[in-house]
Amino acid sequence: MNKKIYDMANDIVTDFSETEEQELSRKEVEKYEAAFQKRQRTRESEAAGRGKGRNKSIKRGRSLKMAVCAASAVIVIGIAASSSEVHAALEQLQWTIGNALGLQEDLADYKEVVNTTAMDGGYAVTLHEVVVTESEVWVNVTVRREDGQPLDISAISPIASIKVNGRRVLAGGGGGLKYLDEEQTIVGIEMCYNCENVDLVGETAIDISFRQLDIWENIKGKWDFSFTADASALMKDTRHIALNRTFTLPNGVTVTLDEFTSNDLEQRINFSADDKDASRYDMKVIARDESGKEYPFYMNYFGGGSTRKGYMRLLGDMLPEAAGQVEMTFYVVAMPEQSGKMSNDFQQLGESFLVDFGQMPEAAE
């Protein structure tokens, strides 16, 4: 099947306030965007080689195994189907955020099932499920043409605007997509929108509006969805391990690995920097368990504005809670100045350090 992995201007986002001045120029953001896209394509190729023929795509910081779990999950809608039939069939498509991300859990305790279809301009968009963290909105959607004709997946790249409790937020987003049927008429898309400086803990009204479905602005319309979600349960079940490890980048900027967090949705390392110029470097952390197995955390987001905070998300299998002593090593590589070609020549920075998973506290009651 054809695959496409995309990141919009989202791996490095400078600011999420509508009134606060951005500290990175648009030109800089576009340069980083192009570099991250190149990096993701390289990782996708490498992962495919390691997968020994398995169908695997790489998204921002996770293994995106967007495989449909059962034959019943794949549907084919005939060209002659009516709009109501298309609407009903898409809403019954059993494609979840859990299997989109290749998770063992289906996130039943944390997700909101929406299963609502909006139709406009000859295209049907269905929002299936939503999971929110304290500052992120994760969604999985499907797109198809109303006439049942195949879609060109290389062109599909939905652009969304988001409102939280009626206020529009500037949300960087990224994700992955693939065909869900052999006829290539249904495209499944998993997206994560980072809504920094927005608190999603507690019942929250969220509006997601799509006005464009392709990269060339040829597919325009109005596909709107409204729902409520609450990050409280997921945050309550998130475990934290303080790291408090500080490193100095080659340009003199100080970066602190603040904490490791783990829940059924993701594992990440949160970090902070004392200057926005930390964005001049790509960063990663490789964790190694006692058996020598490696778990790579790649940089997904850095807010170069007032927050100067970011995170690296684990790519692939999660570190088990019984991992014992885990060795973590910090690596950096300079971002490209002009070419946009991302280097994979990461160099270790500072000394490795041990994290005792046996001391991981229980999730909050």
Side-chain angles (χ1 to χ4, degrees):
M1 295 183 181
N2 293 331
K3 290 174 285 188
K4 177 176 178 286
I5 300 302
Y6 57 89
D7 286 283
M8 290 172 276
N10 41 345
D11 283 288
I12 296 181
V13 179
T14 61
D15 183 54
F16 290 92
S17 167
E18 296 189 45
T19 60
E20 197 169 332
E21 182 180 359
Q22 293 189 355
E23 295 189 46
L24 294 181
S25 70
R26 178 61 192 168
K27 183 177 180 181
E28 289 175 308
V29 172
E30 290 174 346
K31 177 182 69 175
Y32 297 136
E33 176 189 1
F36 272 97
Q37 289 174 334
K38 176 66 174 178
R39 182 185 69 184
Q40 292 304 108
R41 288 193 292 270
T42 300
R43 288 177 187 163
E44 178 187 17
S45 177
E46 292 173 350
R50 293 194 300 269
K52 299 180 180 180
R54 291 179 297 173
N55 185 19
K56 181 183 290 187
S57 302
I58 303 301
K59 69 171 279 293
R60 303 179 315 119
R62 283 199 66 85
S63 173
L64 182 60
K65 305 174 184 177
M66 295 171 62
V68 180
C69 292
S72 62
V74 180
I75 61 175
V76 178
I77 303 174
I79 294 176
S82 67
S83 293
S84 61
E85 291 172 329
V86 171
H87 185 286
L90 283 174
E91 290 183 10
Q92 292 173 14
L93 178 62
Q94 298 301 305
W95 181 57
T96 69
I97 287 182
N99 61 45
L101 291 170
L103 301 176
Q104 297 295 318
E105 306 293 334
D106 70 356
L107 305 172
D109 293 336
Y110 314 115
K111 68 186 180 184
E112 296 293 331
V113 178
V114 180
N115 273 351
T116 298
T117 300
M119 308 182 77
D120 194 16
Y123 288 81
V125 178
T126 300
L127 174 61
H128 293 276
E129 296 181 352
V130 178
V131 175
V132 295
T133 71
E134 58 187 340
S135 62
E136 293 176 327
V137 178
W138 294 69
V139 301
N140 67 322
V141 302
T142 50
V143 176
R144 75 173 306 279
R145 291 169 53 123
E146 287 189 55
D147 62 10
Q149 291 296 314
L151 284 169
D152 178 8
I153 200 170
S154 65
I156 299 298
S157 184
I159 306 298
S161 63
I162 297 180
K163 289 183 178 180
V164 175
N165 291 330
R167 183 174 69 88
R168 185 172 179 176
V169 298
L170 302 179
L177 70 168
K178 68 171 294 180
Y179 290 118
L180 295 183
D181 64 334
E182 293 183 358
E183 289 74 19
Q184 300 184 350
T185 64
I186 306 170
V187 174
I189 306 168
E190 176 273 320
M191 290 291 296
C192 175
Y193 299 102
N194 189 305
C195 305
E196 187 72 14
N197 295 333
V198 176
D199 186 4
L200 300 177
V201 176
E203 186 168 306
T204 305
I206 300 174
D207 300 291
I208 297 181
S209 299
F210 296 98
R211 293 292 180 267
Q212 172 187 330
L213 300 182
D214 71 322
I215 58 178
W216 295 300
E217 300 186 17
N218 292 325
I219 308 175
K220 293 184 177 181
K222 185 177 180 180
W223 301 272
D224 295 338
F225 304 92
S226 298
F227 52 90
T228 59
D230 186 350
S232 299
L234 185 64
M235 293 301 95
K236 178 181 177 182
D237 292 341
T238 298
R239 297 188 175 191
H240 303 257
I241 298 179
L243 301 179
N244 298 324
R245 298 285 175 166
T246 298
F247 301 86
T248 302
L249 300 177
N251 64 352
V253 174
T254 297
V255 172
T256 300
L257 305 183
D258 296 309
E259 65 173 359
F260 165 87
T261 66
S262 177
N263 55 46
D264 286 348
L265 176 67
E266 62 173 355
Q267 290 181 332
R268 64 163 66 176
I269 293 174
N270 296 316
F271 69 89
S272 56
D274 66 355
D275 192 277
K276 69 181 181 67
D277 281 345
S279 62
R280 305 303 177 188
Y281 291 85
D282 189 10
M283 304 174 235
K284 72 176 181 180
V285 169
I286 300 294
R288 299 175 182 84
D289 64 18
E290 294 174 339
S291 70
K293 182 177 179 178
E294 295 188 347
Y295 300 82
F297 292 77
Y298 286 100
M299 189 168 77
N300 280 190
Y301 165 80
F302 175 64
S306 60
T307 64
R308 293 171 187 167
K309 294 181 180 295
Y311 57 82
M312 305 172 209
R313 204 190 309 275
L314 177 63
L315 175 71
D317 296 333
M318 288 193 179
L319 270 159
E321 293 184 4
Q325 292 280 346
V326 175
E327 180 186 69
M328 291 189 175
T329 307
F330 184 52
Y331 297 87
V332 300
V333 63
M335 299 289 268
E337 291 295 329
Q338 296 181 348
S339 68
K341 183 178 180 180
M342 189 66 121
S343 172
N344 200 40
D345 187 24
F346 283 90
Q347 301 296 316
Q348 180 175 338
L349 190 64
E351 299 294 328
S352 299
F353 58 96
L354 293 177
V355 178
D356 187 357
F357 269 50
Q359 299 301 313
M360 183 183 293
E362 294 293 329
E365 294 296 332

